[in-house]
């Protein structure tokens, strides 16, 4: 189809007129980013002028930046918890937003061991849908012909609860997949998935994964892109195939769906497409029975052009494994979003993972940036926040947002580095989540939480065996699928004749898991996205060797602190060379869907 040349975009020649319109929209809002931001703030403050939160700070209907910044404080989640709890308990007055809070989105960041509840309103789905609609027009600039095939995406819903006041509380993607925006989305040749909606919407992780994998195998020649939200999710899918290929091949051979899949809507959708195929069944058996799984993705799905997964931040640890399974296919990071707000797009999605930068879309919220300084520098509370268009290339900032849904000058906790600009909109490299120590999937464990978990576990061996933990550190081991937490312990055993037993140390692993937050425990119990926690006991003197190594590399002996998380390969190798015993959690930790008090 010919494209009207008047609709062309500086980003590149669009694939169709629909794409051209989307690309022109990106150009327009990024070229006028500051004006768009001014309008967004005016809209947010005008519509919410009478809400309790803004009246408390005597904004008096003002919508200009100067008044807004002089009167409203920069806040964290804990500052907002009383208001959020009132809404959760059923208070329907205009506390944060003039529009009714439609549900809460549960953040993977935690507060006191529970997920954070992020208020949202119905129209936010429109804003999120708009951002999704821009993804393929950008991707089509770099990868031609995607409309001629399908995407194999492993997408899942997670558990949801209701607050005492009756509002749903669920992850942002679960909210989106269950919305009419997703379920009744119009046909788009650039966005056809192999997975039927019924499989994506099935809450049982085994039935959902089994069906999505089966459909991906049935249409293996049509698959042009593979994806999941996080890199860890795609690797779990590969591991699932390793464990269940014989069952899948049998279904394909016989044309009948395994009776472990009992969801009636799934069975109805599969009945329409599953027919006996001896040749495909033999192919699956031949490929999957081979011990060497290098390049398995390109062997089974030979027309795949790229993998669509997040590999920035903590997910970067999975890149070598993805490269192994995919024969080095390009890794596309397309979008930057969170429960609090959707932020922006990667306008160069086929770049190397280390070069990924996201362009903030100025229509999504009002953005400010808190200069991020190393520990011991000037505290954030005394620093002046910077507007979107005034950030400086090379500097790091913590993201602060004001949203249509009732968050005002809210610190998201993401640390970003400015890499450049697209027109007047800045582009950011995601550096890390602030204060996050360990992460395998959507879990986030900070230093205080790890310390508490170690202390709780220590109690099990302290009294019975008169043994204490002298020092510890940790790392996220992603060589296993799923990945798992590894904790290195150096022990002080007071009575060598009564040293801790293997059973006792295994119970310490479980005690640690029970001390970690609900997001971690759900990953272990319900989502199968995290493996059993492991304690590796190292011989005495190991942490002194660790200090000697750090000092040999220039660390100050006076300022040296044992790192509570390590990921530098020589340090991990040093620790592993001193391991005297290993212990795994013998059972699943306690977890039930949270009840919102």
């Amino acid at each position: 189809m010919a494209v009207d040349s008047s609709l062309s975009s500086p980003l590149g020649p669009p694939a169709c007129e629909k794409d051209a319109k989307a690309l022109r929209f990106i150009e327009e809002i990024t070229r006028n980013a500051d004006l768009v931001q001014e309008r967004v703030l005016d809209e947010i403050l005008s519509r919410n002028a009478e809400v309790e939160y803004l009246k408390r700070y005597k904004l008096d209907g003002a919508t200009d930046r100067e008044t807004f910044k002089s009167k409203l404080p920069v806040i964290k989640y804990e500052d907002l918890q009383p208001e959020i709890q009132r809404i959760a308990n059923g208070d329907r007055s205009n506390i944060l937003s003039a529009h009714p809070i439609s549900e809460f989105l549960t953040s993977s960041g935690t507060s006191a061991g529970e997920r954070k509840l992020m208020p949202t309103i119905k129209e936010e789905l429109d804003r999120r849908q708009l951002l999704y609609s821009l993804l393929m027009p950008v991707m089509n600039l770099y990868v031609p012909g995607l409309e001629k095939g399908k995407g194999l995406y492993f997408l899942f819903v997670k558990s949801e609860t209701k607050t005492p006041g009756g509002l749903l509380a669920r992850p942002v993607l679960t909210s989106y997949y269950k919305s009419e925006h997703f379920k009744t989305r119009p046909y788009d040749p650039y966005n056809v998935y192999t997975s039927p909606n019924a499989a994506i919407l099935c809450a049982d992780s085994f039935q959902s994964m089994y069906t999505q994998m089966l459909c991906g195998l049935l249409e293996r020649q049509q698959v042009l892109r593979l994806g999941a939200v996080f890199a860890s999710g795609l690797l779990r899918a590969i591991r699932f195939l390793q464990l269940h290929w014989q069952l899948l091949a049998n279904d394909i051979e016989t044309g009948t769906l395994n009776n472990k899949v009992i969801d009636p809507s799934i069975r109805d959708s599969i009945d329409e497409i599953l027919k006996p195929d001896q040749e495909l069944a033999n192919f699956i058996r031949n490929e999957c029975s081979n011990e060497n799984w290098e390049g398995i993705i390109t062997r089974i799905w030979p027309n795949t052009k790229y993998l669509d997964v997040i590999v920035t931040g903590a997910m970067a640890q999975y890149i070598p494994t993805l490269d192994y399974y995919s024969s080095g296919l390009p890794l596309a990071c397309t979008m930057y979003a969170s429960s609090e707000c959707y932020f922006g797009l990667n306008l160069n999605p086929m770049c190397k993972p280390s070069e990924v930068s996201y362009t903030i879309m100025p229509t999504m919220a009002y953005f400010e940036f808190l200069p991020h300084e190393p520990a011991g520098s000037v505290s954030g509370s005394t620093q002046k926040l910077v507007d979107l268009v005034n950030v400086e290339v090379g500097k790091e900032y913590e993201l602060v947002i004001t949203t249509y849904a009732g968050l005002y000058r809210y610190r998201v906790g993401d640390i970003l580095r400015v890499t450049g600009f697209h027109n007047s909109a800045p582009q950011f490299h995601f550096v890390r989540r602030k204060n996050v120590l360990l992460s395998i999937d959507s879990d986030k464990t900070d230093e205080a939480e790890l310390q508490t978990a170690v202390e709780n576990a220590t109690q099990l061996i302290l009294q019975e065996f008169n043994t204490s933990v002298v020092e510890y550190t940790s790392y996220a081991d992603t060589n296993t699928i799923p990945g798992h937490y590894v904790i290195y312990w150096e022990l002080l055993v007071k009575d060598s004749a009564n040293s801790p037993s293997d059973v006792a140390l295994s119970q310490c692993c479980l005690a640690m898991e029970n001390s970690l937050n609900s997001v971690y425990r759900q990953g272990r119990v319900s989502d199968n996205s995290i493996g059993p926690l492991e304690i590796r006991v190292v011989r005495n003197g190991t942490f002194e060797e660790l200090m000697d190594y750090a000092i040999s590399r220039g660390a100050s002996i006076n300022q040296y602190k044992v790192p509570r998380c390590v990921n530098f390969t020589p340090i991990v190798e040093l620790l592993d060379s001193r391991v005297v015993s290993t212990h795994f959690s013998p059972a699943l930790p306690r977890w039930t869907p949270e009840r919102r008090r």
Side-chain angles (χ1 to χ4, degrees):
M1 180 176 65
V3 180
D4 183 348
S5 60
S6 68
L7 294 176
S8 63
S9 160
L11 284 169
C16 60
E17 292 199 14
K18 183 182 174 186
D19 280 13
K21 186 177 178 182
L23 296 175
R24 286 192 62 184
F25 173 76
I26 293 172
E27 287 301 298
E28 183 181 338
I29 62 172
T30 56
R31 195 179 301 119
N32 303 297
D34 199 46
L35 283 173
V36 173
Q37 282 283 276
E38 198 168 30
R39 174 179 58 76
V40 166
L41 183 62
D42 180 81
E43 285 178 1
I44 292 171
L45 298 182
S46 295
R47 68 157 61 174
N48 294 318
E50 297 301 313
V51 304
E52 181 184 312
Y53 185 85
L54 293 183
K55 290 175 79 172
R56 180 187 309 160
Y57 292 103
K58 296 181 170 52
L59 211 58
D60 298 329
T63 62
D64 63 285
R65 293 178 182 178
E66 293 72 22
T67 308
F68 168 74
K69 292 185 177 189
S70 66
K71 293 197 172 184
L72 286 190
V74 178
I75 60 169
K76 296 181 180 179
Y77 182 77
E78 290 70 26
D79 301 314
L80 212 54
Q81 243 173 331
E83 284 78 13
I84 286 174
Q85 200 61 57
R86 283 172 56 197
I87 299 168
N89 289 341
D91 190 334
R92 295 293 177 262
S93 55
N94 293 343
I95 298 171
L96 295 174
S97 170
H99 287 218
I101 301 301
S102 56
E103 62 180 317
F104 285 108
L105 303 176
T106 53
S107 170
S108 56
T110 61
S111 176
E114 287 196 358
R115 298 171 188 266
K116 295 176 181 176
L117 293 176
M118 295 298 163
T120 193
I121 57 180
K122 280 187 177 178
E123 74 171 49
E124 279 300 302
L125 271 170
D126 297 328
R127 242 180 296 280
R128 293 197 287 272
Q129 180 62 43
L130 172 61
L131 209 59
Y132 283 124
S133 74
L134 302 175
L135 296 178
M136 290 311 293
V138 172
M139 184 58 73
N140 290 337
L141 297 173
Y142 297 89
V143 186
L146 291 174
E147 81 283 8
K148 296 173 183 174
K150 298 186 177 184
L152 169 50
Y153 281 78
F154 296 96
L155 308 175
F156 303 94
V157 297
K158 296 195 176 184
S159 64
E160 56 187 41
T161 58
K162 281 197 171 180
T163 68
L167 288 176
L168 279 172
R170 55 191 181 181
V172 64
L173 288 175
T174 297
S175 170
Y176 176 64
Y177 298 148
K178 289 192 170 186
S179 73
E180 293 306 308
H181 286 70
F182 180 79
K183 290 191 289 186
T184 61
R185 61 197 183 275
Y187 172 78
D188 181 346
Y190 291 98
N191 254 326
V192 180
Y193 299 148
T194 56
S195 299
N197 283 359
I200 295 170
L201 295 172
C202 178
D204 182 272
S205 60
F206 175 85
Q207 294 183 67
S208 179
M209 178 75 87
Y210 190 93
T211 310
Q212 294 190 60
M213 183 61 77
L214 178 63
C215 291
L217 294 173
L218 291 173
E219 302 192 81
R220 73 182 196 93
Q221 296 289 355
Q222 284 76 50
V223 171
L224 301 185
R225 52 200 172 106
L226 257 77
V229 178
F230 295 119
S232 55
L234 186 54
L235 289 175
R236 277 207 315 283
I238 299 302
R239 178 60 177 161
F240 187 92
L241 182 61
Q242 283 183 311
L243 294 173
H244 301 290
W245 60 264
Q246 290 165 307
L247 295 178
L248 291 157
N250 186 62
D251 287 6
I252 293 169
E253 180 179 53
T254 61
T256 55
L257 182 60
N258 192 294
N259 57 20
K260 289 183 179 180
V261 181
I262 59 175
D263 186 303
S265 59
I266 288 182
R267 298 197 71 90
D268 287 345
S269 62
I270 294 301
D271 281 346
E272 299 175 12
I273 59 173
L274 183 57
K275 305 288 185 275
D277 189 334
Q278 186 69 56
E279 183 181 350
L280 178 57
N282 290 342
F283 172 80
I284 298 300
R285 292 185 178 117
N286 183 59
E287 289 295 340
C288 296
S289 60
N290 190 333
E291 284 188 13
N292 179 14
W293 272 53
E294 185 174 0
I296 192 68
I297 289 175
T298 46
R299 279 154 42 196
I300 292 183
W301 296 282
N303 299 314
T304 306
K305 299 187 177 188
Y306 65 92
L307 304 183
D308 189 349
V309 285
I310 294 173
V311 288
T312 51
M315 291 297 120
Q317 59 196 339
Y318 295 105
I319 292 171
T321 313
L322 286 173
D323 286 344
Y324 173 81
Y325 285 127
S326 73
S327 301
L329 279 175
L331 303 173
C333 295
T334 58
M335 186 172 169
Y336 173 36
S338 75
S339 305
E340 295 91 336
C341 178
Y342 279 28
F343 304 119
L345 306 173
N346 180 4
L347 297 182
N348 183 18
M350 301 303 281
C351 67
K352 295 177 182 177
S354 60
E355 297 171 358
V356 169
S357 290
Y358 300 101
T359 303
I360 298 291
M361 295 291 111
T363 55
M364 301 305 294
Y366 184 70
F367 299 103
E368 297 177 90
F369 298 87
L370 181 63
H372 180 67
E373 304 293 346
S377 300
V378 181
S379 69
S381 60
T382 61
Q383 287 184 305
K384 187 177 180 181
L385 271 67
V386 179
D387 284 326
L388 179 68
V389 300
N390 295 329
V391 295
E392 297 180 43
V393 173
K395 290 193 175 180
E396 292 186 2
Y397 299 88
E398 182 181 352
L399 183 56
V400 177
I401 59 172
T402 296
T403 70
Y404 286 88
L407 297 177
Y408 304 96
R409 309 198 86 190
Y410 178 87
R411 294 174 67 167
V412 174
D414 289 359
I415 306 300
L416 310 175
R417 182 185 306 114
V418 187
T419 57
F421 284 81
H422 181 76
N423 295 321
S424 61
Q427 298 177 305
F428 293 93
H429 176 72
F430 180 90
V431 178
R432 66 183 181 280
R433 283 284 297 175
K434 193 174 183 181
N435 301 326
V436 170
L437 206 64
L438 291 167
S439 179
I440 292 291
D441 189 50
S442 58
D443 55 298
K444 295 177 177 66
T445 298
D446 63 24
E447 186 169 334
E449 193 173 10
L450 181 64
Q451 173 74 31
T452 299
V454 170
E455 289 172 355
N456 290 343
T458 301
Q459 298 305 313
L460 295 178
I461 57 174
L462 188 60
Q463 294 178 340
E464 184 178 354
F465 299 97
N466 198 19
T467 295
S468 59
V469 177
V470 177
E471 272 300 357
Y472 71 90
T473 191
S474 64
Y475 93 104
D477 185 352
T478 56
N479 292 319
T480 59
I481 302 175
H484 68 292
Y485 289 8
V486 173
I487 318 298
Y488 294 95
W489 275 10
E490 184 174 324
L491 300 177
L492 178 59
V493 181
K494 306 288 176 58
D495 179 3
S496 58
N498 186 35
S499 56
S501 64
D502 178 68
V503 170
L505 289 167
S506 296
Q507 287 299 319
C508 286
C509 297
L510 182 57
M512 285 194 68
E513 292 198 303
N514 277 320
S515 299
L516 296 175
N517 62 66
S518 62
V519 182
Y520 173 90
R521 287 179 283 118
Q522 180 177 342
R524 280 278 286 121
V525 177
S526 177
D527 302 338
N528 302 312
S529 59
I530 306 172
L533 183 144
E534 177 185 5
I535 290 176
R536 297 179 186 173
V537 178
V538 296
R539 71 188 186 204
N540 290 353
T542 295
F543 279 85
E544 284 189 30
E545 292 182 58
L546 192 63
M547 181 177 72
D548 291 341
Y549 179 80
I551 291 169
S552 74
R553 289 176 53 85
S556 164
I557 192 167
N558 295 319
Q559 295 180 306
Y560 176 78
K561 286 170 58 181
V562 173
R564 291 306 178 209
C565 181
V566 294
N567 48 33
F568 184 49
T569 301
I571 291 180
V572 174
E573 290 175 347
L574 186 155
L575 289 165
D576 281 339
S577 70
R578 308 299 192 269
V579 170
V580 294
S581 64
T582 60
H583 314 271
F584 288 89
S585 187
L588 294 171
R590 295 184 299 272
W591 180 80
T592 53
E594 303 138 61
R595 290 176 175 80
R596 294 289 167 189
R597 295 182 295 277

